[in-house]
Amino acid sequence: MHTDQQNVAPPLPDLRPQALERDSQGMLAHLKSFSLDLKFSAGIWFFSPAASRFHGPYGPALPIDARLEIAAGLAKDGLKGIEAHYPNEINEDNIGLWKSFAASSGIRVLTVIPFLFWDSEFEFGSLSNPDEGARRRAIDRTIGALRMNKELRTDFAIVWPGIDGYEQGFGLDYAAARRRFASGLAEAMDACPGVRIAFEPKPYEPRGRILYGTTPEGVLLGRDVEAMLRAPLNINLMKAGHRLCCMNPEVGHVLMGFEDLAYAFSWPLSEGRLAHSHWNSQPLGNYDQDLGVGAVSPEQLESLLYTLKMHGYRGYYGIDINPERVPVDVALRNSFDAMRAARDRVESLDHESILAAHATPGRARGYIDALLTRARAPHSTRLSPLAPLRF
């Protein structure tokens, strides 16, 4: 391994403040002083119509340079980061194109993601594959992606275990599969130390069940992987209190698992592990629809943003949608605007009354419901008056 890979870390965003515990007065002061900064990123994969099991693409396939041209046009609308998979979308041969795009557009490459779920050799898993040859190739691909993250000075590398799982679970050694996955990820992280992982759980699809499929399982994976790390740079970062195997929960995936968004995200936040977040909307359960932000259950969107505000989240907000019947630039602007509108409602709330309702629920029955109704009403003065609550 190269000396620079062993001893030099790219800039590591400080997630430690997410885990700060505050008393009621400290939380009130924080809510009044901290504002959510909506820095948007987007995955380059949905800029061109994807294949579907049920219908042909509803538009022409676009090469990477054409997709980046669309992305560059969204800089004025608030797009600040772009996400891509290695090696199918970004690789050693076209990295110059990506660097030129970043320099000319002002949109940075935020993450390079190892492409671990598509190739036929990963039919029975990538990092968890019982076939050591296939698993070795998955580890090497992950190392390649981490090296590219280091070269581009990204914030993290998303890892999604979409093909690591099972359908028929009879007699399966689940613990061994989890060990193979965790140790493979740790090996890759030690081979290219100082690069943070943002793990993305999903309960099912494409596998019947996916390993580490829920948010708390992602937290457990982070603890297990970090216990296996041995590279001196990684050890020193963890001694300083930094988490290295962190999380990138996706709204749709969380809801597929029937988790509550705000509660689920509070798990990585409470440990300083929320490196990134992926945003869309989704009915509870169902297949992975990747609808535009706010199209379904906007109240979940608001509650999640409020939880992020309480924990002081400063990361990017990655839009991960599948706009089959809407032009991608229109769909992204709609999602940006839905998040801005929800953020504005959250920021305008009476934080002292909310915290008083949390602390004394017996004297605040129905109060938060009434408060939210007024925040969503275009003409709140037409509603009955609501006196503020105080500690």
Side-chain angles (χ1 to χ4, degrees):
M1 300 173 191
H2 300 300
T3 301
D4 64 325
Q5 290 177 339
Q6 288 297 312
N7 300 315
V8 180
L12 198 66
D14 192 354
L15 308 183
R16 292 172 295 182
Q18 295 176 2
L20 287 176
E21 296 182 8
R22 300 177 175 90
D23 61 19
S24 57
Q25 290 302 323
M27 180 61 77
L28 179 59
H30 167 74
L31 290 172
K32 287 183 174 181
S33 63
F34 178 84
S35 297
L36 294 168
D37 179 16
L38 298 184
K39 301 177 295 186
F40 296 117
S41 62
I44 200 66
W45 51 89
F46 63 78
F47 277 66
S48 186
S52 168
R53 289 185 298 160
F54 302 109
H55 61 76
Y58 292 151
L62 299 177
I64 293 297
D65 57 349
R67 302 186 206 185
L68 292 177
E69 185 177 353
I70 297 172
L74 289 161
K76 65 183 184 302
D77 300 298
L79 185 65
K80 297 183 181 296
I82 203 76
E83 308 171 30
H85 292 89
Y86 171 87
N88 58 313
E89 293 164 346
I90 185 170
N91 53 58
E92 291 81 2
D93 294 331
N94 71 359
I95 193 172
L97 171 66
W98 287 87
K99 289 180 177 179
S100 297
F101 159 78
S104 62
S105 68
I107 300 172
R108 58 186 298 232
V109 180
L110 184 64
T111 181
V112 178
I113 308 164
F115 197 48
L116 297 176
F117 57 89
W118 184 262
D119 299 42
S120 59
E121 66 178 332
F122 301 143
E123 179 182 4
F124 299 109
S126 62
L127 299 177
S128 71
N129 201 312
D131 180 283
E132 192 51 40
R135 181 172 177 268
R136 180 73 255 162
R137 288 185 287 275
I139 294 171
D140 290 343
R141 178 170 292 185
T142 303
I143 293 171
L146 297 189
R147 287 175 175 161
M148 189 150 291
N149 277 280
K150 182 167 282 192
E151 178 175 350
L152 292 168
R153 300 178 72 80
T154 70
D155 286 357
F156 48 82
I158 292 174
V159 170
W160 176 56
I163 209 66
D164 290 273
Y166 59 92
E167 286 72 42
Q168 169 54 272
F170 181 81
L172 184 65
D173 191 337
Y174 304 107
R178 290 194 297 267
R179 281 195 300 271
R180 287 193 296 268
F181 189 92
S183 62
L185 186 54
E187 179 182 338
M189 293 174 69
D190 273 344
C192 190
V195 178
R196 174 174 276 149
I197 295 298
F199 180 77
E200 182 173 333
K202 187 179 184 182
Y204 53 89
E205 194 187 34
R207 296 307 301 261
R209 299 298 300 180
I210 297 175
L211 297 182
Y212 301 103
T214 63
T215 312
E217 290 176 79
V219 171
L220 291 174
L221 172 69
R223 295 177 184 178
D224 287 348
V225 169
E226 288 172 355
M228 299 176 183
L229 295 178
R230 296 292 181 268
L233 177 55
N234 287 337
I235 295 296
N236 289 336
L237 286 168
M238 290 190 295
K239 284 181 178 179
H242 295 287
R243 305 297 190 184
L244 293 180
C245 190
C246 297
M247 290 191 66
N248 172 56
E250 186 199 299
V251 165
H253 296 175
V254 172
L255 293 173
M256 288 172 70
F258 292 90
E259 296 183 77
D260 179 79
L261 289 182
Y263 181 72
F265 275 64
S266 75
W267 278 94
L269 283 164
S270 65
E271 293 198 0
R273 291 189 189 275
L274 189 62
H276 188 50
S277 48
H278 266 169
W279 296 76
N280 45 43
S281 62
Q282 167 82 20
L284 280 176
N286 214 316
Y287 67 97
D288 191 9
Q289 292 186 271
D290 287 334
L291 301 175
V293 176
V296 178
S297 302
E299 77 285 351
Q300 287 267 321
L301 170 60
E302 294 165 355
S303 65
L304 175 51
L305 286 173
Y306 202 79
T307 297
L308 294 179
K309 180 178 173 68
M310 293 177 74
H311 284 270
Y313 176 72
R314 297 182 182 275
Y316 283 73
Y317 296 75
I319 308 300
D320 188 4
I321 56 178
N322 183 28
E324 289 185 304
R325 297 168 180 84
V326 181
V328 66
D329 55 341
V330 174
L332 278 169
R333 291 189 192 99
N334 287 348
S335 288
F336 295 166
D337 287 340
M339 293 198 68
R340 288 174 176 137
R343 187 267 315 271
D344 289 348
R345 290 193 294 273
V346 162
E347 296 287 6
S348 68
L349 292 172
D350 179 353
H351 306 303
E352 188 168 1
S353 290
I354 290 173
L355 294 181
H358 291 172
T360 57
R363 69 183 184 96
R365 302 175 195 277
Y367 189 91
I368 291 181
D369 291 343
L371 194 70
L372 292 174
T373 295
R374 282 151 184 78
R376 297 165 182 152
H379 305 289
S380 59
T381 56
R382 299 178 184 176
L383 307 180
S384 57
L386 184 67
L389 284 179
R390 292 297 179 256
F391 291 103

